[in-house]
Amino acid sequence: MRLLVAAVGRLKPGPERDLAARYRERAAQVGRGLGFPACDIAEIPESRARRAPDRAAEEGTALLAQFPTGAVLALYDERGRSDLTSEAIAERVAGWRDAGRPALVLAIGGADGLDPTLRARAELSLSFGAATLPHGLVRVLALEQVYRTLTILAGHPYHRGNLDER
């Protein structure tokens, strides 16, 4: 299963880009033995449209153009679920992989959010909480969750789980 993080905007040189690259490389290393040959990034330029809905629609169309056929779409969106544990996310990803799905796309919208067309197509929509976060930081967090998901599937000790249950 191909992993693709498709995001609006480009990360500038600096700590966010370095950390995103670090988690992406780690995910690629762990993922190879689990049926995830790579973790790719697609950066979409921000729209220059005047109105926010037009910007979101234009960015949504550009994001959709990057998606492989048959992709499972998971979004990082303020309207998404914030109640899933990392273990639950790993179970979903493993289920999609085991069902023979060709790709998992994690889409991160621009400053105006994700277009309703994208949200309607998503099989899963996630949120990092109610707070508004910078898009560069959301990308780092999304890539960390990809890495965490793969370490859970590999039985690697990176994820320690719920310490209250020990």
Side-chain angles (χ1 to χ4, degrees):
M1 172 180 247
R2 177 181 174 208
L3 295 172
L4 173 66
V5 175
V8 174
R10 302 200 187 286
L11 289 182
K12 295 177 177 78
E16 289 171 337
R17 188 164 95 178
D18 295 344
L19 194 52
R22 181 175 167 195
Y23 281 119
R24 180 178 170 258
E25 290 165 10
R26 285 180 170 187
Q29 288 174 347
V30 172
R32 282 187 200 105
L34 299 170
F36 300 93
C39 181
D40 299 319
I41 305 287
E43 293 182 322
I44 307 304
E46 294 176 30
S47 170
R48 296 192 181 272
R50 289 181 151 265
R51 296 179 45 242
D54 297 337
R55 285 190 298 271
E58 196 173 285
E59 291 166 353
T61 299
L63 282 169
L64 280 170
Q66 297 297 314
F67 298 173
T69 304
V72 172
L73 183 59
L75 308 175
Y76 281 99
D77 183 69
E78 64 186 13
R79 297 167 192 86
R81 295 182 64 178
S82 61
D83 63 334
L84 291 179
T85 65
S86 294
E87 292 92 344
I89 293 168
E91 284 179 31
R92 290 230 184 160
V93 170
W96 291 325
R97 176 201 59 196
D98 296 346
R101 303 297 292 269
L104 169 60
V105 178
L106 301 174
I108 302 169
D112 299 303
L114 288 160
D115 186 62
T117 304
L118 269 176
R119 285 199 310 271
R121 184 164 169 218
E123 293 187 36
L124 178 63
S125 184
L126 299 169
S127 170
F128 286 121
T132 300
L133 300 171
H135 288 81
L137 188 53
V138 169
R139 190 175 322 178
V140 169
L141 293 172
L143 286 163
E144 190 280 338
Q145 281 299 295
V146 168
Y147 175 64
R148 182 175 300 274
T149 293
L150 296 175
T151 61
I152 290 168
L153 296 177
H156 186 281
Y158 176 77
H159 178 73
R160 303 227 167 114
N162 188 342
L163 298 177
D164 293 338
E165 294 177 3
R166 292 185 185 175

PDB file of all heavy atoms in Angstrom, residues 20-21 34 48 153:
ATOM      1  N   ALA A  20       9.702  16.956   9.693  1.00  0.00           N
ATOM      2  CA  ALA A  20       8.835  16.221   8.770  1.00  0.00           C
ATOM      3  C   ALA A  20       9.652  15.197   7.977  1.00  0.00           C
ATOM      4  O   ALA A  20       9.242  14.044   7.823  1.00  0.00           O
ATOM      5  CB  ALA A  20       8.115  17.185   7.830  1.00  0.00           C
ATOM      6  N   ALA A  21      10.816  15.608   7.489  1.00  0.00           N
ATOM      7  CA  ALA A  21      11.681  14.696   6.731  1.00  0.00           C
ATOM      8  C   ALA A  21      12.148  13.541   7.607  1.00  0.00           C
ATOM      9  O   ALA A  21      12.224  12.387   7.148  1.00  0.00           O
ATOM     10  CB  ALA A  21      12.873  15.452   6.165  1.00  0.00           C
ATOM     11  N   LEU A  34       6.387  -4.028   6.083  1.00  0.00           N
ATOM     12  CA  LEU A  34       4.977  -4.193   6.436  1.00  0.00           C
ATOM     13  C   LEU A  34       4.040  -4.042   5.246  1.00  0.00           C
ATOM     14  O   LEU A  34       2.827  -3.993   5.413  1.00  0.00           O
ATOM     15  CB  LEU A  34       4.586  -3.142   7.491  1.00  0.00           C
ATOM     16  CG  LEU A  34       5.332  -3.202   8.817  1.00  0.00           C
ATOM     17  CD1 LEU A  34       5.022  -1.962   9.645  1.00  0.00           C
ATOM     18  CD2 LEU A  34       4.953  -4.463   9.581  1.00  0.00           C
ATOM     19  N   ARG A  48      -4.494  31.345  -5.286  1.00  0.00           N
ATOM     20  CA  ARG A  48      -4.465  32.807  -5.212  1.00  0.00           C
ATOM     21  C   ARG A  48      -5.857  33.407  -5.472  1.00  0.00           C
ATOM     22  O   ARG A  48      -5.986  34.609  -5.693  1.00  0.00           O
ATOM     23  CB  ARG A  48      -3.460  33.355  -6.217  1.00  0.00           C
ATOM     24  CG  ARG A  48      -2.039  32.934  -5.904  1.00  0.00           C
ATOM     25  CD  ARG A  48      -1.067  33.737  -6.748  1.00  0.00           C
ATOM     26  NE  ARG A  48       0.290  33.357  -6.499  1.00  0.00           N
ATOM     27  CZ  ARG A  48       1.057  33.885  -5.559  1.00  0.00           C
ATOM     28  NH1 ARG A  48       0.570  34.797  -4.750  1.00  0.00           N
ATOM     29  NH2 ARG A  48       2.306  33.500  -5.407  1.00  0.00           N
ATOM     30  N   LEU A 153       2.117  -1.406  14.124  1.00  0.00           N
ATOM     31  CA  LEU A 153       1.919  -2.603  13.299  1.00  0.00           C
ATOM     32  C   LEU A 153       3.134  -3.526  13.326  1.00  0.00           C
ATOM     33  O   LEU A 153       2.993  -4.746  13.214  1.00  0.00           O
ATOM     34  CB  LEU A 153       1.586  -2.199  11.863  1.00  0.00           C
ATOM     35  CG  LEU A 153       0.271  -1.436  11.678  1.00  0.00           C
ATOM     36  CD1 LEU A 153       0.090  -1.039  10.218  1.00  0.00           C
ATOM     37  CD2 LEU A 153      -0.910  -2.249  12.178  1.00  0.00           C
TER      38      LEU A 153
END
